[in-house]
Amino acid sequence: MTADMIITLVVLAAAAILFMSGKVRSDLVAICSLVLLVLLDILSPNEALSGFSNSIVIMMIGLFIVGGGIFQTGLAKMASGKMLKLAGDSEFRLLITVMLATSFIGAFVSNTGTVAVMLPIVVSLATSANISPGRLLMPLAFASSLGGTLTLIGTPPNLVISETLSKAGFEELSFFSFTPIGLVCLVIGTGLILLLSKLLPKEHGEGKGNRRGRSLNELARQYQLSQNLYRVQVSDDSLITTKTLLELDIPNQYQVHIIEIRRKTSHKNPFFKTINQEIAGPLTVINKQDILYVYGVFEAVQAFAEFYQLALLDHQVVEQSIIQNTERFASDQIGIAEVLLPPNSSLINQQVKQSGFREKYSVNILGIQRKGEYLLHQLKDEKIRFGDALLIQGTWKSIALLSKEESDIVVVGQPLETAAAIPLNHKAPIAAGIMLFMVVLMILEVFPAVISVMIAAILMVATGCLRGMEAAYKTINWESIVLIGGMIPMSIAIEKTGAAALLSEKLVSSLGNIGPFALLAGVYFTTSILTLFISNTACAVLFAPIALTAAVQLGVSPVPYLFAVAIAAGMCFAVPFSTPPNALVMSAGKYTFMDYVKVGLPLQLLLGVAMVALLPLFFPF
């Protein structure tokens, strides 16, 4: 062994120990290992930085953005709702449903792309089912690898061994050559994951709450918003059109407040929404066919609608769920918030109609909480007292500006963060189309996979599925990106110093004398070990010719050995940085390095034993 080889293996071992200890962040360990290899002159600076320009790292960035778009548009919640109906609330059935769906997609799409599509759906599913995402996400990543064994295009190692066999004069593999052994691998792997998943973390991660604030759902429920909300539509001959709300003076005449207007816009482009939501202000002009959201007691709303010849769309907006209730008052444009008054506020002892909330801040007061009671009607003459909490509604921008007026008003919570968390439900069909478009491009291989992903990521931002580039950057888990980018050069060092080639050749040559089964086991488990540290494609490229030569020299068919290489290279579960899918789910599942070792290592070993035993039955020596 050369000095460079020994140093590389020592650095790798030290990194593995730090990963397992969990005392140092994994991305910091990866970067320190990288810098150390440069300082010791094992890697050149260009080689050390090559990981961050690697197509896998760029693709992971794009996939995080695509996943963010799927989540932000509510598409993930819709899809998870369908899966929840299918599987029920049983964690066992949910796990099977997630794994089978992921494996099916993984048979035709790269495992990285499969996990990117499924990850936001599964996180939403776990939240809806009130279980920890960590119970489902690692099985999701592993199932994507199992699915890769079902078809020729499932993973790159499958294509590598097909090309190796073809060049050596053997029959080329067909699209479904992998399917029989792949199905067996899928069944055994799924069964093992179901057993080992009991070792996964059970804690349900706590969401980030607003600063001292209550959620939108809690506010809507406590102020009984749904009990006083009605919708009316303006007819073509209505007396209310062409006049401003200030001129109409509806609150004084009917004790009814128009709080929101929804009207059709002139946008023809299908990528943009066609219904515009506007907060009602003094200078707002009512147009024909507008839908008005009005707030007041039913008798007053009915009298108002009859006088102005408005169509009462529903006698009362009876909400089917808390979420729908919130959507009536809050969207990505308009929101609700609670405000408090400091002791020195100039608004204390002023009547609501004189407070200037609507004129000065462009917000409506929907209710007042006073000593545990809620005042919801005829608020205009009510005096604001110290200790009152006011429920307001307006655009998120207006609420955010209001939060800066700390001398008179204190806004509870963080309006901009709350607004950013509201899904863009009207964009869900667009996000679904982009996701499908990306999958089709990847299946047909119209462009390299990384380009297909970047096109999808750009479309997510360009069509408004994400709120601009800042929102896109926030979807990226940079710890995972740095971890993978820092560990890819480690595989270069292992190959460059000859450590990989030495290990593989020594092991295979020594086992070849024992017999075909021993050689098969040697090929499989050597590949399985090396794929922990170098990419599955590189591992297959390295081992395929070695396995082919060893089998020919032994006088047996090379087919089972090459299948062993392909399957072992793809079945990498014991460490988080070995494959992009493992890294993609690490943060969302709140996994530690040892979680992968506890669940992934026995899975990798047991599946290996099963494959070594079964491969000769499908592909005889």
Side-chain angles (χ1 to χ4, degrees):
M1 294 176 71
T2 64
D4 284 352
M5 189 186 301
I6 294 171
I7 291 171
T8 300
L9 294 176
V10 169
V11 170
L12 181 61
I17 291 169
L18 289 173
F19 282 137
M20 285 186 280
S21 72
K23 294 182 179 179
V24 184
R25 279 177 55 126
S26 57
D27 50 349
L28 182 59
V29 173
I31 292 298
C32 289
S33 302
L34 194 64
V35 171
L36 194 57
L37 290 173
V38 174
L39 294 177
L40 295 171
D41 203 30
I42 293 170
L43 290 176
S44 68
N46 286 339
E47 288 172 331
L49 296 175
S50 63
F52 295 99
S53 62
N54 189 283
S55 61
I56 289 176
V57 172
I58 304 301
M59 186 162 70
M60 281 183 66
I61 291 173
L63 289 170
F64 273 121
I65 295 174
V66 172
I70 293 170
F71 206 97
Q72 187 58 61
T73 57
L75 179 61
K77 192 169 187 64
M78 295 175 196
S80 66
K82 298 287 185 185
M83 292 180 71
L84 198 59
K85 284 183 181 179
L86 182 66
D89 56 1
S90 164
E91 183 179 321
F92 181 76
R93 290 201 301 272
L94 284 174
L95 191 56
I96 293 177
T97 303
V98 166
M99 291 190 65
L100 292 180
T102 304
S103 299
F104 176 77
I105 299 171
F108 305 98
V109 181
S110 73
N111 54 4
T112 309
T114 300
V115 171
V117 169
M118 291 295 294
L119 191 148
I121 295 173
V122 173
V123 170
S124 180
L125 177 65
T127 304
S128 300
N130 198 31
I131 62 175
S132 169
R135 303 289 291 172
L136 300 176
L137 289 178
M138 193 181 292
L140 164 71
F142 294 169
S144 70
S145 296
L146 292 172
T149 63
L150 294 173
T151 63
L152 181 64
I153 64 169
T155 59
N158 297 0
L159 296 169
V160 169
I161 69 160
S162 178
E163 186 179 358
T164 303
L165 282 170
S166 179
K167 284 183 178 179
F170 293 89
E171 185 179 351
E172 195 170 323
L173 299 177
S174 69
F175 188 84
F176 294 108
S177 292
F178 281 83
T179 306
I181 188 64
L183 287 172
V184 173
C185 184
L186 175 61
V187 170
I188 295 173
T190 301
L192 289 171
I193 292 172
L194 290 173
L195 291 173
L196 294 168
S197 64
K198 295 176 181 178
L199 301 174
L200 290 171
K202 295 182 179 180
E203 294 80 7
H204 195 291
E206 291 293 329
K208 293 180 181 178
N210 285 347
R211 179 193 65 201
R212 299 187 298 114
R214 288 178 284 181
S215 71
L216 297 180
N217 293 338
E218 290 172 328
L219 288 175
R221 185 171 59 251
Q222 291 186 5
Y223 281 87
Q224 304 171 25
L225 296 187
S226 65
Q227 296 178 18
N228 301 280
L229 177 66
Y230 305 86
R231 296 184 305 161
V232 295
Q233 187 165 27
V234 182
S235 59
D236 291 343
D237 55 353
S238 174
L239 302 175
I240 203 173
T241 55
T242 72
K243 297 180 181 179
T244 66
L245 294 183
L246 183 63
E247 293 173 320
L248 293 167
D249 196 23
I250 294 167
N252 285 330
Q253 292 190 46
Y254 295 97
Q255 285 74 52
V256 167
H257 293 271
I258 299 176
I259 59 175
E260 184 182 327
I261 299 169
R262 299 196 184 187
R263 59 175 51 135
K264 291 183 179 180
T265 65
S266 58
H267 289 307
K268 304 298 183 183
N269 192 324
F271 286 119
F272 296 93
K273 62 182 292 187
T274 57
I275 299 294
N276 188 40
Q277 296 169 264
E278 296 182 10
I279 195 75
L283 301 180
T284 300
V285 177
I286 307 299
N287 297 332
K288 296 175 182 179
Q289 298 302 312
D290 281 355
I291 295 177
L292 312 180
Y293 280 67
V294 297
Y295 191 63
V297 297
F298 176 70
E299 291 76 11
V301 172
Q302 190 176 39
F304 160 68
E306 287 177 356
F307 181 82
Y308 285 107
Q309 300 176 24
L310 307 173
L312 191 58
L313 297 183
D314 37 21
H315 288 284
Q316 187 170 9
V317 181
V318 180
E319 307 301 342
Q320 296 178 353
S321 69
I322 293 174
I323 295 172
Q324 288 179 325
N325 180 33
T326 303
E327 288 175 352
R328 296 291 189 183
F329 284 85
S331 66
D332 60 298
Q333 299 175 51
I334 294 171
I336 56 176
E338 200 169 30
V339 300
L340 305 175
L341 305 180
N344 58 345
S345 173
S346 63
L347 296 172
I348 293 175
N349 293 324
Q350 284 196 24
Q351 289 181 319
V352 168
K353 64 183 179 183
Q354 297 172 341
S355 65
F357 265 86
R358 179 174 280 197
E359 293 77 14
K360 187 177 179 181
Y361 304 115
S362 299
V363 298
N364 297 312
I365 297 178
L366 300 183
I368 299 175
Q369 180 190 0
R370 180 176 296 159
K371 296 180 181 180
E373 296 183 357
Y374 293 88
L375 309 178
L376 304 172
H377 304 297
Q378 299 181 349
L379 296 177
K380 61 185 179 65
D381 296 323
E382 192 68 43
K383 281 189 177 182
I384 302 172
R385 302 177 187 176
F386 173 64
D388 285 352
L390 311 180
L391 182 70
I392 61 168
Q393 185 200 42
T395 64
W396 287 113
K397 185 177 180 181
S398 296
I399 294 173
L401 289 174
L402 186 63
S403 66
K404 297 178 181 178
E405 297 282 338
E406 295 188 354
S407 59
D408 283 334
I409 300 163
V410 177
V411 177
V412 180
Q414 297 170 311
L416 292 181
E417 287 189 12
T418 304
I422 293 178
L424 304 168
N425 290 330
H426 57 281
K427 297 287 187 180
I430 300 171
I434 293 170
M435 182 184 72
L436 184 61
F437 180 60
M438 179 188 77
V439 171
V440 170
L441 287 181
M442 293 176 78
I443 291 174
L444 298 179
E445 297 183 350
V446 178
F447 306 108
V450 63
I451 300 300
S452 299
V453 170
M454 295 310 294
I455 290 172
I458 291 168
L459 288 174
M460 283 290 184
V461 178
T463 59
C465 293
L466 287 167
R467 296 178 174 91
M469 286 304 296
E470 287 300 321
Y473 289 136
K474 287 179 181 178
T475 66
I476 301 168
N477 182 264
W478 293 107
E479 182 179 352
S480 299
I481 297 299
V482 173
L483 173 64
I484 292 290
M487 290 306 295
I488 286 174
M490 180 69 78
S491 67
I492 296 175
I494 292 172
E495 291 183 66
K496 185 177 179 181
T497 58
L502 179 67
L503 175 62
S504 59
E505 288 174 4
K506 290 281 186 185
L507 191 57
V508 171
S509 61
S510 62
L511 291 174
N513 297 325
I514 302 175
F517 258 111
L519 179 60
L520 184 65
V523 167
Y524 188 99
F525 285 106
T526 308
T527 308
S528 186
I529 291 168
L530 278 184
T531 199
L532 298 175
F533 308 107
I534 64 178
S535 74
N536 58 6
T537 306
C539 203
V541 169
L542 175 68
F543 261 94
I546 295 173
L548 177 72
T549 303
V552 171
Q553 289 177 353
L554 198 62
V556 295
S557 170
V559 175
Y561 297 93
L562 288 175
F563 267 83
V565 169
I567 294 173
M571 299 298 103
C572 189
F573 308 124
V575 291
F577 54 76
S578 56
T579 63
N582 290 3
L584 277 170
V585 302
M586 186 177 183
S587 175
K590 295 182 173 59
Y591 298 123
T592 64
F593 185 92
M594 287 308 296
D595 287 327
Y596 287 88
V597 174
K598 285 190 299 184
V599 179
L601 184 58
L603 174 63
Q604 193 165 331
L605 292 173
L606 292 171
L607 196 57
V609 171
M611 288 298 100
V612 169
L614 294 171
L615 273 169
L617 300 179
F618 289 88
F619 309 102
F621 296 124

